[in-house]
Amino acid sequence: FSLSTSQRSNTNIVLMIVLTRLITASTALLLVSTNLTQMQALSTTSPQKTVVVTGATGRAGSRLIRQLLDQQQDTTTTTTTTTVIALVRNATKARSMFGTEEANGSLTILEADFSNLSSLESTLSSSPLLQRLRRDPNDDTERTATTTPCRLRLFLACGNTPDQVTLELNVARAITTLSNSDDDGGECFCVKLSTAQPLVENSIGVGAIHRPIEESLKVLYHPNRYAMLRPNIFTQMFDPSEGVPLLAVDLKSKECTHMYADSKISMIDVDDVAACAKSILTSDDPITDHGGNIYELTGPEAVGLSGGFSNAISSIQSSPFTITSRSIEEHIIGTGLPPAAVGTITPFLRTIGSYGTVTDTVQKLTGRPPKSISDFVLL
């Protein structure tokens, strides 16, 4: 049996087509297999995380949002590994700061009434991004402190107001409902922004507000699904463009007086506080790495305003700038506060003025040293 020349030619063409299709199919299967392997590796090394940030329009929270968005894309792939949600009480204010980021989809802004727990829970549960994190109530898979992934992370911060305890704990409780767990933190890890260590430990000033919140979180996010940040006073508080009148340094002339002129304070740049929070919130295993820890955050050294601060300012002006000392009482009255305020806020101010402890926590959490006074003024 033999084929004609034309038949042999047609047969060869058919064979070539079949072979080509086989090669194409094999290549496609190989690509699918490779992609699956890469996706499995990604899910193992860079699990999807959702970070909910409260206080997103404040000093620390707004900087945390910026830093999370800057690092939103994994450094080795184009796959987004962190979803960022700003949970705010005033969406208009948040959009004035992050409207572009919301428009391009890199940030979600949720407005909620923090004072109303049921309303807050409703807002959170209706969010498509948060709905996917809800635990199936019929899922009886055992959860342990070491195996639950904690895909949901909360940065808890509200302004220092009389109802701060209620506002923050309402948020903390509402977040736990997303994992259908009322007795512990479920699949959520909480990073609480507190205040300076001696204020909390001795319940002085705003420390008396933060302490009961910390104690409640230890129960709500048991076991060890929390970390507390206790920063010293922010360097930005002394900046007249960002701080409060009681603390801001008056730069309108070549000299001024201040109650902290000669006090050695280990003040910290709020950018460093945000960086520490980001490091914890984006950890692949926050429970093992940070669970139950209380982090005392300070700047690199204890300095007085009449030294490091005035020297840094002098270096960028045409003439020297000096800061001389006056008493806390004189300073309070001199900034326009009523005499009755002296007895109320003096313990707080004295504690901050004597808080010169220096820690290496910023270095340990971020991998870099904290910013100095010169860094703040010159940069």
Side-chain angles (χ1 to χ4, degrees):
F1 179 75
S2 61
L3 298 173
S4 66
T5 301
S6 61
Q7 288 175 322
R8 286 197 298 272
S9 177
N10 289 337
T11 300
N12 289 337
I13 291 173
V14 171
L15 289 173
M16 289 178 64
I17 292 173
V18 171
L19 182 60
T20 300
R21 289 180 176 176
L22 285 172
I23 292 173
T24 301
S26 298
T27 302
L29 287 171
L30 179 61
L31 289 173
V32 170
S33 176
T34 301
N35 288 338
L36 285 174
T37 300
Q38 291 174 341
M39 290 173 66
Q40 290 171 345
L42 178 62
S43 65
T44 299
T45 58
S46 300
Q48 181 72 31
K49 311 173 186 77
T50 297
V51 178
V52 176
V53 179
T54 59
T57 60
R59 293 183 183 87
S62 61
R63 287 167 168 84
L64 173 60
I65 290 282
R66 296 291 182 197
Q67 293 183 24
L68 286 169
L69 295 180
D70 287 344
Q71 298 296 320
Q72 196 176 54
Q73 297 297 318
D74 187 89
T75 56
T76 57
T77 73
T78 58
T79 303
T80 299
T81 57
T82 303
T83 298
V84 185
I85 299 174
L87 181 62
V88 300
R89 289 177 284 171
N90 186 335
T92 300
K93 181 179 180 181
R95 290 190 175 105
S96 71
M97 301 171 66
F98 302 108
T100 300
E101 291 76 10
E102 184 186 35
N104 65 28
S106 59
L107 173 69
T108 297
I109 297 175
L110 287 181
E111 184 178 69
D113 181 0
F114 289 16
S115 65
N116 188 320
L117 179 57
S118 60
S119 175
L120 185 55
E121 290 175 342
S122 177
T123 299
L124 293 175
S125 62
S126 64
S127 166
L129 286 176
L130 294 174
Q131 281 180 347
R132 62 186 173 82
L133 295 173
R134 289 185 66 87
R135 182 179 174 84
D136 184 349
N138 297 318
D139 181 4
D140 59 358
T141 303
E142 181 181 0
R143 294 180 299 162
T144 68
T146 57
T147 59
T148 303
C150 281
R151 292 180 299 158
L152 179 61
R153 287 94 189 274
L154 169 66
F155 178 71
L156 187 60
C158 291
N160 293 321
T161 60
D163 58 349
Q164 184 176 355
V165 174
T166 298
L167 299 180
E168 291 197 10
L169 291 182
N170 276 351
V171 172
R173 292 188 178 100
I175 286 289
T176 64
T177 64
L178 293 172
S179 57
N180 290 320
S181 176
D182 293 324
D183 59 341
D184 60 46
E187 296 182 2
C188 176
F189 189 91
C190 177
V191 175
K192 153 71 177 162
L193 179 63
S194 194
T195 189
Q197 181 106 330
L199 295 178
V200 178
E201 294 294 341
N202 298 290
S203 295
I204 297 173
V206 294
I209 297 175
H210 288 282
R211 185 167 181 171
I213 298 174
E214 288 191 9
E215 294 303 318
S216 295
L217 290 176
K218 292 175 183 178
V219 177
L220 281 170
Y221 288 81
H222 174 81
N224 294 336
R225 294 180 182 279
Y226 64 86
M228 313 295 184
L229 299 182
R230 292 180 176 176
N232 199 349
I233 191 169
F234 299 158
T235 307
Q236 281 75 5
M237 297 299 286
F238 299 99
D239 183 346
S241 66
E242 190 173 356
V244 295
L246 181 63
L247 296 172
V249 173
D250 184 0
L251 301 177
K252 293 190 293 292
S253 61
K254 296 180 181 179
E255 61 180 352
C256 73
T257 58
H258 202 285
M259 60 183 170
Y260 291 151
D262 298 328
S263 300
K264 301 299 183 182
I265 306 173
S266 53
M267 61 190 75
I268 182 170
D269 195 301
V270 70
D271 286 336
D272 290 333
V273 177
C276 289
K278 186 195 74 170
S279 176
I280 300 171
L281 291 163
T282 57
S283 168
D284 286 341
D285 190 353
I287 296 175
T288 299
D289 297 339
H290 307 286
N293 289 352
I294 296 176
Y295 292 111
E296 185 178 8
L297 306 179
T298 73
E301 60 180 336
V303 296
L305 296 183
S306 62
F309 202 90
S310 62
N311 291 341
I313 294 174
S314 297
S315 68
I316 60 174
Q317 293 187 348
S318 58
S319 58
F321 179 78
T322 60
I323 303 175
T324 56
S325 180
R326 65 176 172 180
S327 71
I328 289 178
E329 292 76 10
E330 290 173 332
H331 190 81
I332 293 173
I333 301 301
T335 53
L337 292 175
V342 173
T344 303
I345 62 178
T346 293
F348 165 79
L349 296 174
R350 287 196 188 283
T351 302
I352 289 297
S354 61
Y355 183 31
T357 300
V358 175
T359 70
D360 61 354
T361 309
V362 173
Q363 175 79 52
K364 288 180 176 178
L365 288 176
T366 67
R368 61 165 177 77
K371 295 180 180 179
S372 66
I373 293 295
S374 295
D375 294 332
F376 169 72
V377 173
L378 299 178
L379 299 179

